[in-house]
Amino acid sequence: MASGDRDYILLDHGSGGRATHRLIREIFYSAFEASGEGFLDSAILGTHSGPLAFTTDSFVVDPIFFPGGDLGSLAVHGTVNDLAMVGARPLYLACGFILEEGLPLADLKRIVLSMARAAEEIGVKIVCGDTKVVPKGKGDRIFITTTGMGEILADPYPHPRRIEPGDEILVSGPIGEHGLAVLSARESLPLKGLRSDSAPVWPLVEALLKALGPAVHALRDPTRGGLATTVNELAQEAKVEIELLESEIPVRAEVRGGCEILGLDPLYLACEGRFVAMVARGKGEEALQVLKELPGGHEARLIGQVRNQTDRPLVILKTAIGGERILPVLTGEPLPRIC
Amino acid sequence: MASGDRDYILLDHGSGGRATHRLIREIFYSAFEASGEGFLDSAILGTHSGPLAFTTDSFVVDPIFFPGGDLGSLAVHGTVNDLAMVGARPLYLACGFILEEGLPLADLKRIVLSMARAAEEIGVKIVCGDTKVVPKGKGDRIFITTTGMGEILADPYPHPRRIEPGDEILVSGPIGEHGLAVLSARESLPLKGLRSDSAPVWPLVEALLKALGPAVHALRDPTRGGLATTVNELAQEAKVEIELLESEIPVRAEVRGGCEILGLDPLYLACEGRFVAMVARGKGEEALQVLKELPGGHEARLIGQVRNQTDRPLVILKTAIGGERILPVLTGEPLPRIC
């Protein structure tokens, strides 16, 4: 192999032979040091006494580097946050890489190191993985699928079927930053001050579960489709009517301004470091204080309440000027490849 | 949405909104019926007393339909076979789908149903999943990443570090059929009688573990890079010299003939339903009888032996005409997208 060739992913890197082994040794083993031995094979996890949570997500974000994060950190945060949403402490990650021929090895290294940092920050171990290579034009640089396993610490664990009329609804921070930051980077829009909110939410969730216990009824992270779609999903799964207060939903000025210019609604933009919590009636204020005292939680807000059980679930937005409108799930113009 | 549009994957199917929900309801829930509720979210797995195995693989095979299988069945077999290689009964699968805009929904349905059938056949549950859509030209129809969890029934579990001088080496059936069948389908070659060997190997492995117990030292499935590369990996990990008997390695006449025409070596072609077993000295014949009595195992063969410990691991092929040559790992011309 000529030495210049080694700076890019080649088809040979996916053949399972010498080039694959070298790629794994040089890039993955050194980044995921603690777990090097098992990277190509099954990882052996030892025993766990409690119930386990298991979740998977593929990440195809475009561009792969954006303000506030990159594909690697996003692939870790997205999956560990899904575990947190059922009250599970993230323990292990598996990662599958689909690489396009011609990907600069420097980009791959940067993304793998970013994954390793994100995993270390939250204390989750990347224990096994796989790499495949597709010919140029049959992929788009790099796609990552991360699968997470965690131990469920909440009993009972948060679930939409536990939502009750009167539940108070919180969001852990300002919405829409991830979606707008990625769109803005992709289209090279001249929007200032935007950064993805991509971050692990487990520390906030853990504190909430410790303080409120079973009064935490349901959790959900407003990723694709944004806050509006997520709250609609919860309403439908719980068969309830939900009221949100527009004036209480935190949206940064940069996001509000960017959305006005682009004709987007921040309620439909993805977040990757926020969550919605439904807590028992009367517990909202306590939950809010717990979140506000923690890093990443000081902009949490109480944003609404669960009204009544219904066979026709819906979400009502009480607007800032005192009106009411139905807030539907995302339809129409898609915002592709946000995560 | 016009009714004709509904026959293909659209960007909107990946937006997280109404179209995503409908796709999941109509295609995934109906196929993965038992586990419908959790498909979008974390699956809750309950408790398991023994140690667990965890493995992931991305599948990018081209073409997605080939004689003897398709991307869906391959994505199930490939991952459950990795679990079997550490003596783990496959329990749960997570699956991440990366769909290219324009993929016919009929193809997606066929693949998803094939996954469901393959999972049911082996008794593994598909408990959670994710779908992403990339624009036309940024993917290639469909990529699937499956992640498996299994409970390890072998104690100690098979591992290359348990390989010892004198170990006898078996292969569970004829080699190279998967690789050649996929290549032949991709290039529309006029080769007759080729079918992928893609199949779950757990039933054979379970029987071997029950009969031989800890005398099963190591298992590995010869996928990418074929038997030659796999045995080299085992030699390197165990730091041993290994001798294979060319005349004993089972290769079907169709595969031998196809390889001669194409200038390929069957020893380097991927299998997706075979495994190599290293068993204690004197246990090879017993292992062979166990395999030969089971469906899918009647063509198993004893193909070699572990010679001595060494700091310069290598694999020696004793050729049919009595010579010896070193069998290297796969290098040179890659055979891309075999799995």
Side-chain angles (χ1 to χ4, degrees), chain B residues 6 9 21-32 39 97 104-113:
Chain B
R6 296 188 54 185
I9 286 291
H21 291 170
R22 193 170 53 219
L23 180 76
I24 290 179
R25 206 168 49 237
E26 290 180 2
I27 296 198
F28 296 101
Y29 279 11
S30 60
F32 305 149
F39 190 76
F97 293 84
L105 285 186
D107 286 353
L108 178 60
K109 277 184 197 161
R110 194 175 150 195
I111 282 171
V112 166
L113 287 173

PDB file of all heavy atoms in Angstrom, chain B residues 6 9 21-32 39 97 104-113:
ATOM      1  N   ARG B   6     -46.167   6.588  -1.591  1.00  0.00           N
ATOM      2  CA  ARG B   6     -46.074   5.731  -0.413  1.00  0.00           C
ATOM      3  C   ARG B   6     -45.366   4.421  -0.711  1.00  0.00           C
ATOM      4  O   ARG B   6     -45.117   3.639   0.190  1.00  0.00           O
ATOM      5  CB  ARG B   6     -47.463   5.482   0.156  1.00  0.00           C
ATOM      6  CG  ARG B   6     -48.092   6.778   0.649  1.00  0.00           C
ATOM      7  CD  ARG B   6     -49.371   6.523   1.378  1.00  0.00           C
ATOM      8  NE  ARG B   6     -49.185   5.568   2.465  1.00  0.00           N
ATOM      9  CZ  ARG B   6     -50.182   5.112   3.180  1.00  0.00           C
ATOM     10  NH1 ARG B   6     -51.419   5.504   2.929  1.00  0.00           N
ATOM     11  NH2 ARG B   6     -49.971   4.248   4.148  1.00  0.00           N
ATOM     12  N   ILE B   9     -39.347   4.875   0.068  1.00  0.00           N
ATOM     13  CA  ILE B   9     -38.870   5.639   1.228  1.00  0.00           C
ATOM     14  C   ILE B   9     -38.619   7.085   0.803  1.00  0.00           C
ATOM     15  O   ILE B   9     -37.975   7.340  -0.218  1.00  0.00           O
ATOM     16  CB  ILE B   9     -37.566   5.008   1.777  1.00  0.00           C
ATOM     17  CG1 ILE B   9     -37.887   3.721   2.527  1.00  0.00           C
ATOM     18  CG2 ILE B   9     -36.807   5.975   2.681  1.00  0.00           C
ATOM     19  CD1 ILE B   9     -38.638   3.924   3.842  1.00  0.00           C
ATOM     20  N   HIS B  21     -43.645   7.615  12.184  1.00  0.00           N
ATOM     21  CA  HIS B  21     -44.507   6.788  13.031  1.00  0.00           C
ATOM     22  C   HIS B  21     -45.282   5.780  12.199  1.00  0.00           C
ATOM     23  O   HIS B  21     -45.424   4.622  12.572  1.00  0.00           O
ATOM     24  CB  HIS B  21     -45.483   7.674  13.826  1.00  0.00           C
ATOM     25  CG  HIS B  21     -44.803   8.494  14.873  1.00  0.00           C
ATOM     26  ND1 HIS B  21     -45.402   9.490  15.581  1.00  0.00           N
ATOM     27  CD2 HIS B  21     -43.527   8.459  15.331  1.00  0.00           C
ATOM     28  CE1 HIS B  21     -44.555  10.041  16.435  1.00  0.00           C
ATOM     29  NE2 HIS B  21     -43.396   9.437  16.279  1.00  0.00           N
ATOM     30  N   ARG B  22     -45.786   6.245  11.034  1.00  0.00           N
ATOM     31  CA  ARG B  22     -46.571   5.332  10.200  1.00  0.00           C
ATOM     32  C   ARG B  22     -45.686   4.203   9.673  1.00  0.00           C
ATOM     33  O   ARG B  22     -46.081   3.034   9.659  1.00  0.00           O
ATOM     34  CB  ARG B  22     -47.240   6.094   9.056  1.00  0.00           C
ATOM     35  CG  ARG B  22     -48.296   5.240   8.369  1.00  0.00           C
ATOM     36  CD  ARG B  22     -49.143   6.038   7.399  1.00  0.00           C
ATOM     37  NE  ARG B  22     -48.264   6.746   6.487  1.00  0.00           N
ATOM     38  CZ  ARG B  22     -48.476   7.977   6.058  1.00  0.00           C
ATOM     39  NH1 ARG B  22     -49.535   8.640   6.438  1.00  0.00           N
ATOM     40  NH2 ARG B  22     -47.635   8.543   5.228  1.00  0.00           N
ATOM     41  N   LEU B  23     -44.485   4.559   9.226  1.00  0.00           N
ATOM     42  CA  LEU B  23     -43.563   3.536   8.705  1.00  0.00           C
ATOM     43  C   LEU B  23     -43.297   2.476   9.771  1.00  0.00           C
ATOM     44  O   LEU B  23     -43.342   1.271   9.492  1.00  0.00           O
ATOM     45  CB  LEU B  23     -42.242   4.208   8.306  1.00  0.00           C
ATOM     46  CG  LEU B  23     -41.178   3.269   7.735  1.00  0.00           C
ATOM     47  CD1 LEU B  23     -41.522   2.891   6.303  1.00  0.00           C
ATOM     48  CD2 LEU B  23     -39.792   3.912   7.778  1.00  0.00           C
ATOM     49  N   ILE B  24     -43.043   2.920  10.971  1.00  0.00           N
ATOM     50  CA  ILE B  24     -42.717   1.979  12.044  1.00  0.00           C
ATOM     51  C   ILE B  24     -43.916   1.119  12.381  1.00  0.00           C
ATOM     52  O   ILE B  24     -43.804  -0.088  12.547  1.00  0.00           O
ATOM     53  CB  ILE B  24     -42.191   2.768  13.256  1.00  0.00           C
ATOM     54  CG1 ILE B  24     -40.817   3.317  12.869  1.00  0.00           C
ATOM     55  CG2 ILE B  24     -42.113   1.884  14.496  1.00  0.00           C
ATOM     56  CD1 ILE B  24     -40.145   4.135  13.893  1.00  0.00           C
ATOM     57  N   ARG B  25     -45.094   1.763  12.416  1.00  0.00           N
ATOM     58  CA  ARG B  25     -46.305   1.005  12.735  1.00  0.00           C
ATOM     59  C   ARG B  25     -46.575  -0.025  11.651  1.00  0.00           C
ATOM     60  O   ARG B  25     -46.843  -1.191  11.925  1.00  0.00           O
ATOM     61  CB  ARG B  25     -47.480   1.981  12.855  1.00  0.00           C
ATOM     62  CG  ARG B  25     -48.590   1.507  13.746  1.00  0.00           C
ATOM     63  CD  ARG B  25     -49.567   2.647  14.038  1.00  0.00           C
ATOM     64  NE  ARG B  25     -49.975   3.345  12.837  1.00  0.00           N
ATOM     65  CZ  ARG B  25     -49.825   4.661  12.636  1.00  0.00           C
ATOM     66  NH1 ARG B  25     -49.289   5.421  13.562  1.00  0.00           N
ATOM     67  NH2 ARG B  25     -50.223   5.219  11.512  1.00  0.00           N
ATOM     68  N   GLU B  26     -46.499   0.398  10.398  1.00  0.00           N
ATOM     69  CA  GLU B  26     -46.953  -0.469   9.311  1.00  0.00           C
ATOM     70  C   GLU B  26     -45.940  -1.548   8.954  1.00  0.00           C
ATOM     71  O   GLU B  26     -46.307  -2.636   8.538  1.00  0.00           O
ATOM     72  CB  GLU B  26     -47.290   0.378   8.074  1.00  0.00           C
ATOM     73  CG  GLU B  26     -48.546   1.209   8.313  1.00  0.00           C
ATOM     74  CD  GLU B  26     -48.912   2.075   7.109  1.00  0.00           C
ATOM     75  OE1 GLU B  26     -48.229   2.003   6.074  1.00  0.00           O
ATOM     76  OE2 GLU B  26     -49.883   2.842   7.249  1.00  0.00           O
ATOM     77  N   ILE B  27     -44.666  -1.254   9.073  1.00  0.00           N
ATOM     78  CA  ILE B  27     -43.669  -2.244   8.642  1.00  0.00           C
ATOM     79  C   ILE B  27     -43.022  -2.965   9.816  1.00  0.00           C
ATOM     80  O   ILE B  27     -42.959  -4.184   9.832  1.00  0.00           O
ATOM     81  CB  ILE B  27     -42.610  -1.583   7.724  1.00  0.00           C
ATOM     82  CG1 ILE B  27     -43.320  -1.096   6.461  1.00  0.00           C
ATOM     83  CG2 ILE B  27     -41.469  -2.554   7.421  1.00  0.00           C
ATOM     84  CD1 ILE B  27     -42.446  -0.818   5.294  1.00  0.00           C
ATOM     85  N   PHE B  28     -42.576  -2.233  10.814  1.00  0.00           N
ATOM     86  CA  PHE B  28     -41.804  -2.896  11.867  1.00  0.00           C
ATOM     87  C   PHE B  28     -42.687  -3.546  12.926  1.00  0.00           C
ATOM     88  O   PHE B  28     -42.457  -4.679  13.312  1.00  0.00           O
ATOM     89  CB  PHE B  28     -40.813  -1.911  12.503  1.00  0.00           C
ATOM     90  CG  PHE B  28     -39.787  -1.431  11.530  1.00  0.00           C
ATOM     91  CD1 PHE B  28     -39.886  -0.193  10.919  1.00  0.00           C
ATOM     92  CD2 PHE B  28     -38.710  -2.250  11.188  1.00  0.00           C
ATOM     93  CE1 PHE B  28     -38.942   0.234  10.002  1.00  0.00           C
ATOM     94  CE2 PHE B  28     -37.760  -1.822  10.268  1.00  0.00           C
ATOM     95  CZ  PHE B  28     -37.883  -0.576   9.679  1.00  0.00           C
ATOM     96  N   TYR B  29     -43.712  -2.826  13.395  1.00  0.00           N
ATOM     97  CA  TYR B  29     -44.562  -3.407  14.438  1.00  0.00           C
ATOM     98  C   TYR B  29     -45.192  -4.707  13.961  1.00  0.00           C
ATOM     99  O   TYR B  29     -45.284  -5.667  14.716  1.00  0.00           O
ATOM    100  CB  TYR B  29     -45.688  -2.442  14.832  1.00  0.00           C
ATOM    101  CG  TYR B  29     -45.281  -1.376  15.802  1.00  0.00           C
ATOM    102  CD1 TYR B  29     -43.944  -1.152  16.120  1.00  0.00           C
ATOM    103  CD2 TYR B  29     -46.234  -0.574  16.421  1.00  0.00           C
ATOM    104  CE1 TYR B  29     -43.582  -0.152  17.001  1.00  0.00           C
ATOM    105  CE2 TYR B  29     -45.874   0.418  17.314  1.00  0.00           C
ATOM    106  CZ  TYR B  29     -44.548   0.635  17.592  1.00  0.00           C
ATOM    107  OH  TYR B  29     -44.196   1.614  18.472  1.00  0.00           O
ATOM    108  N   SER B  30     -45.653  -4.721  12.724  1.00  0.00           N
ATOM    109  CA  SER B  30     -46.376  -5.917  12.286  1.00  0.00           C
ATOM    110  C   SER B  30     -45.424  -7.104  12.133  1.00  0.00           C
ATOM    111  O   SER B  30     -45.801  -8.243  12.359  1.00  0.00           O
ATOM    112  CB  SER B  30     -47.119  -5.645  10.977  1.00  0.00           C
ATOM    113  OG  SER B  30     -46.205  -5.278   9.981  1.00  0.00           O
ATOM    114  N   ALA B  31     -44.164  -6.834  11.801  1.00  0.00           N
ATOM    115  CA  ALA B  31     -43.212  -7.939  11.651  1.00  0.00           C
ATOM    116  C   ALA B  31     -42.670  -8.404  12.993  1.00  0.00           C
ATOM    117  O   ALA B  31     -42.539  -9.594  13.239  1.00  0.00           O
ATOM    118  CB  ALA B  31     -42.055  -7.513  10.749  1.00  0.00           C
ATOM    119  N   PHE B  32     -42.331  -7.430  13.848  1.00  0.00           N
ATOM    120  CA  PHE B  32     -41.714  -7.768  15.137  1.00  0.00           C
ATOM    121  C   PHE B  32     -42.784  -7.694  16.218  1.00  0.00           C
ATOM    122  O   PHE B  32     -42.645  -7.033  17.228  1.00  0.00           O
ATOM    123  CB  PHE B  32     -40.574  -6.796  15.465  1.00  0.00           C
ATOM    124  CG  PHE B  32     -39.521  -6.700  14.396  1.00  0.00           C
ATOM    125  CD1 PHE B  32     -38.818  -5.525  14.190  1.00  0.00           C
ATOM    126  CD2 PHE B  32     -39.210  -7.796  13.592  1.00  0.00           C
ATOM    127  CE1 PHE B  32     -37.827  -5.428  13.210  1.00  0.00           C
ATOM    128  CE2 PHE B  32     -38.226  -7.711  12.608  1.00  0.00           C
ATOM    129  CZ  PHE B  32     -37.545  -6.518  12.419  1.00  0.00           C
ATOM    130  N   PHE B  39     -40.332  -0.647  20.279  1.00  0.00           N
ATOM    131  CA  PHE B  39     -39.436  -0.575  19.130  1.00  0.00           C
ATOM    132  C   PHE B  39     -38.710   0.760  19.014  1.00  0.00           C
ATOM    133  O   PHE B  39     -37.544   0.807  18.656  1.00  0.00           O
ATOM    134  CB  PHE B  39     -40.183  -0.890  17.830  1.00  0.00           C
ATOM    135  CG  PHE B  39     -39.252  -1.051  16.665  1.00  0.00           C
ATOM    136  CD1 PHE B  39     -38.502  -2.202  16.524  1.00  0.00           C
ATOM    137  CD2 PHE B  39     -39.074  -0.034  15.746  1.00  0.00           C
ATOM    138  CE1 PHE B  39     -37.603  -2.347  15.475  1.00  0.00           C
ATOM    139  CE2 PHE B  39     -38.178  -0.167  14.701  1.00  0.00           C
ATOM    140  CZ  PHE B  39     -37.451  -1.325  14.556  1.00  0.00           C
ATOM    141  N   PHE B  97     -31.689   0.747  11.233  1.00  0.00           N
ATOM    142  CA  PHE B  97     -31.834   0.760   9.776  1.00  0.00           C
ATOM    143  C   PHE B  97     -31.413   2.116   9.230  1.00  0.00           C
ATOM    144  O   PHE B  97     -31.883   3.146   9.699  1.00  0.00           O
ATOM    145  CB  PHE B  97     -33.298   0.539   9.386  1.00  0.00           C
ATOM    146  CG  PHE B  97     -33.808  -0.833   9.721  1.00  0.00           C
ATOM    147  CD1 PHE B  97     -34.288  -1.125  10.987  1.00  0.00           C
ATOM    148  CD2 PHE B  97     -33.804  -1.837   8.763  1.00  0.00           C
ATOM    149  CE1 PHE B  97     -34.751  -2.393  11.305  1.00  0.00           C
ATOM    150  CE2 PHE B  97     -34.270  -3.106   9.073  1.00  0.00           C
ATOM    151  CZ  PHE B  97     -34.749  -3.391  10.343  1.00  0.00           C
ATOM    152  N   PRO B 104     -37.621   1.015  -2.451  1.00  0.00           N
ATOM    153  CA  PRO B 104     -39.003   0.540  -2.532  1.00  0.00           C
ATOM    154  C   PRO B 104     -39.452  -0.036  -1.186  1.00  0.00           C
ATOM    155  O   PRO B 104     -38.715  -0.814  -0.567  1.00  0.00           O
ATOM    156  CB  PRO B 104     -38.946  -0.555  -3.604  1.00  0.00           C
ATOM    157  CG  PRO B 104     -37.724  -0.245  -4.416  1.00  0.00           C
ATOM    158  CD  PRO B 104     -36.746   0.356  -3.437  1.00  0.00           C
ATOM    159  N   LEU B 105     -40.638   0.375  -0.751  1.00  0.00           N
ATOM    160  CA  LEU B 105     -41.141  -0.138   0.531  1.00  0.00           C
ATOM    161  C   LEU B 105     -41.291  -1.651   0.483  1.00  0.00           C
ATOM    162  O   LEU B 105     -41.141  -2.326   1.496  1.00  0.00           O
ATOM    163  CB  LEU B 105     -42.482   0.514   0.879  1.00  0.00           C
ATOM    164  CG  LEU B 105     -42.411   1.961   1.370  1.00  0.00           C
ATOM    165  CD1 LEU B 105     -43.790   2.435   1.814  1.00  0.00           C
ATOM    166  CD2 LEU B 105     -41.430   2.096   2.515  1.00  0.00           C
ATOM    167  N   ALA B 106     -41.563  -2.183  -0.716  1.00  0.00           N
ATOM    168  CA  ALA B 106     -41.703  -3.638  -0.847  1.00  0.00           C
ATOM    169  C   ALA B 106     -40.389  -4.338  -0.476  1.00  0.00           C
ATOM    170  O   ALA B 106     -40.395  -5.397   0.153  1.00  0.00           O
ATOM    171  CB  ALA B 106     -42.116  -4.004  -2.265  1.00  0.00           C
ATOM    172  N   ASP B 107     -39.257  -3.750  -0.852  1.00  0.00           N
ATOM    173  CA  ASP B 107     -37.956  -4.330  -0.492  1.00  0.00           C
ATOM    174  C   ASP B 107     -37.740  -4.276   1.014  1.00  0.00           C
ATOM    175  O   ASP B 107     -37.248  -5.230   1.623  1.00  0.00           O
ATOM    176  CB  ASP B 107     -36.812  -3.590  -1.195  1.00  0.00           C
ATOM    177  CG  ASP B 107     -36.736  -3.939  -2.678  1.00  0.00           C
ATOM    178  OD1 ASP B 107     -37.473  -4.842  -3.125  1.00  0.00           O
ATOM    179  OD2 ASP B 107     -35.942  -3.286  -3.390  1.00  0.00           O
ATOM    180  N   LEU B 108     -38.097  -3.131   1.606  1.00  0.00           N
ATOM    181  CA  LEU B 108     -37.938  -2.990   3.049  1.00  0.00           C
ATOM    182  C   LEU B 108     -38.783  -4.038   3.775  1.00  0.00           C
ATOM    183  O   LEU B 108     -38.315  -4.707   4.698  1.00  0.00           O
ATOM    184  CB  LEU B 108     -38.335  -1.578   3.494  1.00  0.00           C
ATOM    185  CG  LEU B 108     -38.256  -1.322   5.004  1.00  0.00           C
ATOM    186  CD1 LEU B 108     -36.847  -1.526   5.547  1.00  0.00           C
ATOM    187  CD2 LEU B 108     -38.734   0.096   5.342  1.00  0.00           C
ATOM    188  N   LYS B 109     -40.038  -4.188   3.331  1.00  0.00           N
ATOM    189  CA  LYS B 109     -40.931  -5.168   3.969  1.00  0.00           C
ATOM    190  C   LYS B 109     -40.371  -6.574   3.872  1.00  0.00           C
ATOM    191  O   LYS B 109     -40.377  -7.333   4.834  1.00  0.00           O
ATOM    192  CB  LYS B 109     -42.317  -5.141   3.298  1.00  0.00           C
ATOM    193  CG  LYS B 109     -43.218  -4.060   3.831  1.00  0.00           C
ATOM    194  CD  LYS B 109     -44.601  -4.158   3.183  1.00  0.00           C
ATOM    195  CE  LYS B 109     -45.339  -2.849   3.413  1.00  0.00           C
ATOM    196  NZ  LYS B 109     -46.452  -2.637   2.499  1.00  0.00           N
ATOM    197  N   ARG B 110     -39.877  -6.913   2.686  1.00  0.00           N
ATOM    198  CA  ARG B 110     -39.340  -8.258   2.473  1.00  0.00           C
ATOM    199  C   ARG B 110     -38.167  -8.523   3.412  1.00  0.00           C
ATOM    200  O   ARG B 110     -38.049  -9.608   3.998  1.00  0.00           O
ATOM    201  CB  ARG B 110     -38.913  -8.356   0.999  1.00  0.00           C
ATOM    202  CG  ARG B 110     -38.648  -9.750   0.504  1.00  0.00           C
ATOM    203  CD  ARG B 110     -38.365  -9.711  -1.006  1.00  0.00           C
ATOM    204  NE  ARG B 110     -37.468 -10.791  -1.374  1.00  0.00           N
ATOM    205  CZ  ARG B 110     -36.805 -10.869  -2.516  1.00  0.00           C
ATOM    206  NH1 ARG B 110     -36.943  -9.905  -3.429  1.00  0.00           N
ATOM    207  NH2 ARG B 110     -36.015 -11.884  -2.777  1.00  0.00           N
ATOM    208  N   ILE B 111     -37.310  -7.517   3.574  1.00  0.00           N
ATOM    209  CA  ILE B 111     -36.136  -7.685   4.432  1.00  0.00           C
ATOM    210  C   ILE B 111     -36.521  -7.759   5.899  1.00  0.00           C
ATOM    211  O   ILE B 111     -35.993  -8.575   6.661  1.00  0.00           O
ATOM    212  CB  ILE B 111     -35.121  -6.561   4.136  1.00  0.00           C
ATOM    213  CG1 ILE B 111     -34.382  -6.931   2.842  1.00  0.00           C
ATOM    214  CG2 ILE B 111     -34.149  -6.349   5.295  1.00  0.00           C
ATOM    215  CD1 ILE B 111     -33.515  -5.860   2.293  1.00  0.00           C
ATOM    216  N   VAL B 112     -37.464  -6.931   6.294  1.00  0.00           N
ATOM    217  CA  VAL B 112     -37.900  -6.927   7.693  1.00  0.00           C
ATOM    218  C   VAL B 112     -38.586  -8.258   8.036  1.00  0.00           C
ATOM    219  O   VAL B 112     -38.350  -8.831   9.107  1.00  0.00           O
ATOM    220  CB  VAL B 112     -38.816  -5.712   7.958  1.00  0.00           C
ATOM    221  CG1 VAL B 112     -39.552  -5.856   9.283  1.00  0.00           C
ATOM    222  CG2 VAL B 112     -37.995  -4.426   7.938  1.00  0.00           C
ATOM    223  N   LEU B 113     -39.398  -8.774   7.122  1.00  0.00           N
ATOM    224  CA  LEU B 113     -40.053 -10.068   7.366  1.00  0.00           C
ATOM    225  C   LEU B 113     -39.025 -11.194   7.413  1.00  0.00           C
ATOM    226  O   LEU B 113     -39.149 -12.132   8.200  1.00  0.00           O
ATOM    227  CB  LEU B 113     -41.102 -10.349   6.288  1.00  0.00           C
ATOM    228  CG  LEU B 113     -42.366  -9.489   6.420  1.00  0.00           C
ATOM    229  CD1 LEU B 113     -43.290  -9.707   5.222  1.00  0.00           C
ATOM    230  CD2 LEU B 113     -43.107  -9.791   7.723  1.00  0.00           C
TER     231      LEU B 113
END
